[in-house]
Amino acid sequence: MQRFGKTALVFLTFVIGLAVAGGIDADGSCWHRDFGFGSTVCVCNSTFCNALPAVTAAASGSALVYTSSKAGLRFQRQELQFKQAGNGGGQILTVDRKTTFQKIHGFGGAFTDAAGEMILSLPEAAQDLLLRSYFSADGLEYNMGRLPIGGSDFSNRQYSYDDDNGEDTTLEHFSLQKEDRIYKIPMAKRAKELMPETSGDLHIYSTVWSPPVWMKTSNKFSGFGFLKKEHYQTYADYYVKFLEAYAAEGVDIHAVSTGNEPLNGVVPFKHFNSLGWTPETMHVWIRDHFGPTIRGSKFKDVKIVAHDDQRIFLPWMMELVLADNKTADYIDIIAYHWYLNFITPGALLDAVHKDYPDKPLINTEACNGDKPWDFTRVQLGSWTRGEYYLGDIVGVMNHWTAGWIDWNLALNLQGGPTWAKNWVDAPIIVDASKGEFYLNPTFYALAHVSKFVRRDSVRVELHHSGGGLLEAKVDSIAFERPDGALVVVLINKHNSEHSVSIQEGDRGQVDVHVPARSFVTVIYW
């Protein structure tokens, strides 16, 4: 289905023109464009953007199957029938709803200054279609977001909420900036308006990259530097000031973290806004200042998030930071970033869950194009990058992760704007000169989970059998939704197609064709 930005007649003329040009699917689901990175993007503009229609219940005895592939399928829907269980001749996945794991919080992306600037660079109708693509019932149905407190590396400048006023220890001059009023606040409000009732509330996670420089030992936003001890309480109060300011603007914050990537302020791998902490100083600040200040304010129900740094530093970092029950009791959630996941085992997440089973694990940042060997930061149509995303989501959620938040909602063709020249890729890339934006394969990778796995879904066990001993396997994960629907997500990273049979008790078996290099989601009630 399509979303209309002008009259149906104009839209029909536009679609006919595209069909003649040979770039649009016969069902109008995607206007393909190939940029030479292995697959295609779907092109959107003011008059056209392919929708992902709301998923409605299949008939009894049926399963709905959605497929996207490197070869060009984009969310293709088909309905299959269950049959008597038997040997499907391939990989067999047996659903066990009685064996359950973590409850899912949701999926989302970041309301950065860069994303706001790129969205506003489009014509008004295209702006709305872009946000709909993420948050509406005919989009990814995101229900989470991440919002920087002050500037980040994906701003056009370095800033905080109390600059150029000397040591303002009472925070008398604290003030939101133009970026909040032009970009972040309007984005968050519009996203919330677009969300269907089934998505629940918009859970916004906020954190500071760097406090005002007068609070820091370095007197700089970036590089090696720590919080001055005399400003431990001032910094805790700074968070409350932010919560008050956003509440006054009608934006509720669900959670605040102890700071973005604190180890980058100790060992500056990349030169951007940061605040360094050692485990001991972080422990003291949470225990004696941050925790009591948040819990003693009118925002006492706001969740407090620890770590917000690379997975490779878990679990030993948490063992040091949460060294006593008082400090641990202030922490509600443990967050991590994906950038070094490729060299760290998922078992680290299992260990953290074992030590802190009452604290959900949330991935709060991810993007492609960040590595030194990524010479082309933005790769429009890269299927491999989509595989990285879905492969990571399936992998970490099989190790107790309860939510997954992407980085920038949108960037430009260079992978910015970013004052730090820290260019990266994003699921949606904007070409302001053409009034277009492009849905990357990473967008569809996210769609195959976020659109189906609602908040409070529970991961359930999948037992694996069948297939040849040396046969490459399709990665998988399963969830039971609050409405009773069962969701199975499959990712085939191989250059050969596979057959996967999903079996569950008296329902029997449904046989699913999984094309080469594809994402497949199966849902049934």
Side-chain angles (χ1 to χ4, degrees), residues 73-94:
L73 296 178
R74 294 295 183 268
F75 233 61
Q76 182 188 71
R77 179 188 181 276
Q78 64 178 144
E79 187 168 343
L80 300 178
Q81 301 300 310
F82 277 88
K83 64 181 183 180
Q84 185 175 351
N87 186 354
Q91 192 172 341
I92 299 173
L93 303 176
T94 303

Side-chain angles (χ1 to χ4, degrees), residues 119-130:
I119 292 170
L120 287 184
S121 72
L122 291 165
E124 188 173 344
Q127 295 173 26
D128 200 56
L129 288 177
L130 192 154

Side-chain angles (χ1 to χ4, degrees), residues 37 368-369 373-380 385 414 425:
F37 288 102
N368 284 299
W373 53 85
D374 288 322
F375 300 114
T376 305
R377 298 295 183 172
V378 173
Q379 295 185 7
L380 289 168
R385 289 185 170 183
Q414 188 180 17
D425 213 340

Side-chain angles (χ1 to χ4, degrees), residues 142-164:
Y142 271 0
N143 57 13
M144 301 177 77
R146 191 167 182 240
L147 191 149
I149 299 174
S152 75
D153 45 325
F154 279 83
S155 303
N156 268 323
R157 64 187 181 104
Q158 300 184 76
Y159 68 93
S160 79
Y161 294 140
D162 202 338
D163 298 330
D164 305 320

Side-chain angles (χ1 to χ4, degrees), residues 500-511:
V500 174
S501 298
I502 299 171
Q503 298 181 350
E504 185 181 4
D506 294 338
R507 292 178 184 271
Q509 169 178 308
V510 61
D511 295 329

Side-chain angles (χ1 to χ4, degrees), residues 139 224 248 360 388 425:
F224 183 84
Y388 290 160
D425 213 340

